Amino acid sequence: MSPGTEIAVRVGAYAVVFAAMALWEWWAPRRKLSAGRGARWPGNLGILAIDIVAVRLLVPTTAVGVALVAAEKGWGVFGQAGLPYWAAVLVGVVALDLAIYLQHVVFHFVPPLWRLHRMHHADVDIDVTTGLRFHPIEILLSLGIKIAVVAALGVPAFAVLVFEVLLNATSMFNHSNVKLPPRLDRIARWIVVTPQMHQVHHSVVRAETDSNFGFNLPWWDRLFGTYRAEPAAGEQGMTVGLPIFRDKAELHIVRLLTQPFRNAITRPAPEKSPQ
Ligand SMILES: [Zn+2]
Ligand SMILES: [Zn+2]
C-alpha cells in the first residue's frame, strides 16, 4: 500500500462521514446546543488542523507505515504464533480497539494525562466536531501507543488502515448531535458505540464522565464494568462539559491549547453514582 493510497482512503472517508453527520445533526438535532456551532467550530476545527500538522511534522511515519516495516522484518506476536492473515486482520482490529479503550481509561485516572484529555471534555456541547477535538499532545501520545501495539503484535497494514478509518468514523458518529430511534439505539449499542451511549461520557457529573469509555466497539465497557445506560438527569436534562472551563472565552483555540497547563484545581472527589 502506497502512502498516497493510505492518505486518499483516510481523507475521503473522513470528509464523507463528517459531511453526513454535520448534515444529519443540522437536520434533526438531538439536543439544543448551548454555545452553538458558530462559537465552537472555529476552535474545534482549528485544533484538528493543528493535530494534522503536528503529526505530519513530528512523526516520520504512520501506523500503517510501521505495519509495513513490521511485516517485512517479521516483527510481532501474530507472525510468531503463525496466525493466518484473515485472523491477524480480525484480531488486530479488535486488539487496537481494546488498546484505545484502555488508553482512554488511563487518560482519565492519571492526573497529568487527564489534564491533556480534559480539553476534549471541556466542550460545552457535543457534536461532530467534538469527536475531532483532542489536544495535539494527546494525539501524539495516542499515535505512539498505536504504533507500539502494531509493532508488538505485527498487525497487518490493511487492519491498521481499517481501524484508523473506523475509529475516525465512529468518533464523529458517536459525538454527533443526532438521535437514533430508542429501539434501534438499544440494538445498535451491542455492535457500536452510539451517540446516546457516548453522551453519558460527556456529562458534567464525575461518575458519569468516568463511564462509557469505548469509541468504537461497545463491548469493553460492558466487560470491564464501565457501562452506564443513561445519565441520571436524562438525555435532555444532562449538563455537558466540565465544572471548569465553562466560560465562552475557553472556546478560543489558544485557550484550548493552554487548558492542560492552566487552572491547577484537582478533579472533584467521585460522587456517589446515581443509580
Ligand atoms: Zn474521556
Ligand atoms: Zn468524547
Side-chain angles (χ1 to χ4, degrees):
M1 185 184 333
S2 73
T5 313
E6 184 196 348
I7 290 173
V9 169
R10 290 184 62 182
V11 171
Y14 221 102
V16 168
V17 176
F18 181 88
M21 297 321 300
L23 268 176
W24 184 357
E25 66 186 11
W26 170 77
W27 184 255
R30 180 176 74 250
R31 283 166 53 103
K32 194 175 172 322
L33 299 181
S34 65
R37 291 176 160 194
R40 295 169 41 256
W41 280 32
N44 289 2
L45 295 176
I47 284 291
L48 172 66
I50 290 173
D51 288 348
I52 292 169
V53 172
V55 167
R56 299 287 289 178
L57 287 182
L58 298 173
V59 188
T61 177
T62 61
V64 170
V66 172
L68 292 172
V69 175
E72 204 182 287
K73 309 246 184 209
W75 294 345
V77 176
F78 290 172
Q80 310 288 328
L83 218 59
Y85 180 75
W86 65 267
V89 168
L90 213 64
V91 179
V93 169
V94 174
L96 280 167
D97 198 57
L98 173 60
I100 293 297
Y101 166 88
L102 294 173
Q103 175 202 319
H104 192 179
V105 174
V106 170
F107 270 68
H108 270 239
F109 293 104
V110 177
L113 298 176
W114 167 249
R115 280 179 161 270
L116 296 172
H117 180 63
R118 72 183 177 183
M119 191 270 264
H120 173 68
H121 283 270
D123 201 346
V124 289
D125 289 314
I126 26 175
D127 67 12
V128 63
T129 63
T130 313
L132 308 170
R133 173 183 150 144
F134 293 93
H135 199 279
I137 304 175
E138 176 172 4
I139 289 289
L140 290 167
L141 290 174
S142 175
L143 180 56
I145 292 165
K146 258 184 280 180
I147 284 175
V149 172
V150 166
L153 297 180
V155 181
F158 175 67
V160 180
L161 181 64
V162 166
F163 179 72
E164 300 264 37
V165 169
L166 263 181
L167 188 66
N168 286 337
T170 51
S171 184
M172 285 188 270
F173 168 67
N174 66 40
H175 285 91
S176 61
N177 189 28
V178 303
K179 187 177 168 76
L180 298 183
R183 273 184 63 185
L184 176 62
D185 181 54
R186 266 197 302 279
I187 300 163
R189 276 183 191 208
W190 286 101
I191 307 160
V192 70
V193 175
T194 66
Q196 282 107 307
M197 179 176 164
H198 192 69
Q199 176 184 319
V200 184
H201 187 73
H202 283 263
S203 162
V204 78
V205 177
R206 160 91 191 257
E208 294 176 350
T209 316
D210 293 338
S211 63
N212 298 5
F213 290 95
F215 274 112
N216 201 356
L217 298 171
W219 312 328
W220 315 120
D221 283 300
R222 296 190 190 251
L223 195 63
F224 296 112
T226 51
Y227 175 71
R228 190 176 292 264
E230 56 189 348
E235 182 185 292
Q236 297 297 325
M238 186 197 101
T239 304
V240 169
L242 296 175
I244 54 169
F245 301 140
R246 301 198 67 84
D247 194 277
K248 268 211 148 161
E250 295 292 345
L251 300 171
H252 191 274
I253 188 160
V254 175
R255 307 283 290 181
L256 294 178
L257 287 170
T258 59
Q259 276 180 5
F261 315 106
R262 287 189 285 114
N263 211 332
I265 67 164
T266 49
R267 303 185 68 191
E271 296 156 27
K272 282 261 175 290
S273 327
Q275 292 299 335

